[in-house]
Amino acid sequence: LRPVAVGLAAVALMAAGIGIGRLAWGGGGGTQGTEVALNALDPAMPGATGSALVDARDGRLHLQVAGLAPSRPGSHYELWLIRPGTTRMVSLGGFRVPATGRATVDVDLPVSPARYRLIDVSVEPDDGVPTHSGRSVLRSRPA
């Protein structure tokens, strides 16, 4: 009986987390999650755009970007979740952009997106240092 109760509690917590995440990201009418627009921050890439779909069903974030400068040798783009008003951020992974300026990235969400209200794309050097460079090129508005 005890394992059944633990299992039911785990399911209830997971359902509550998904519900809170959906509310935090705009409370989705869609079955796949909530789409968040990313806006250009870098004057060198004024036409840059992006959108991220936070998918509560599969615990993933699906990113599409356009208008970015192609990745240069020695650098890449990095996807972040940021908690506004703090220095807390989580890297979701790096990616490269080809000459088309477009890229699609699908990543697992290692943390609840409800706690990190900004999605950020930065340019990072290929130096192995796991911190934000301070050069953001796309960012969502706080949810």
Side-chain angles (χ1 to χ4, degrees):
L1 193 58
R2 179 172 264 170
V4 171
V6 170
L8 289 174
V11 169
L13 285 173
M14 186 169 60
I18 289 170
I20 290 168
R22 289 177 61 102
L23 287 173
W25 287 94
T31 58
Q32 290 191 346
T34 302
E35 191 167 355
V36 179
L38 280 72
N39 304 304
L41 294 177
D42 189 326
M45 294 182 245
T49 61
S51 66
L53 178 69
V54 179
D55 194 330
R57 290 181 313 151
D58 67 5
R60 295 179 63 80
L61 185 143
H62 309 280
L63 175 74
Q64 291 187 330
V65 295
L68 291 178
S71 298
R72 293 183 172 178
S75 70
H76 65 278
Y77 290 93
E78 190 87 13
L79 178 60
W80 302 88
L81 290 179
I82 299 176
R83 188 179 298 176
T86 72
T87 58
R88 291 193 172 219
M89 59 184 69
V90 174
S91 169
L92 299 179
F95 62 97
R96 298 203 182 277
V97 174
T100 62
R102 297 179 174 274
T104 300
V105 180
D106 293 321
V107 296
D108 289 324
L109 288 168
V111 296
S112 170
R115 292 186 174 183
Y116 296 85
R117 308 288 292 255
L118 294 174
I119 299 171
D120 181 90
V121 174
S122 65
V123 176
E124 300 293 330
D126 291 339
D127 60 5
V129 177
T131 58
H132 196 292
S133 67
R135 183 174 171 215
S136 294
V137 294
L138 290 171
R139 184 174 289 174
S140 67
R141 296 186 188 272

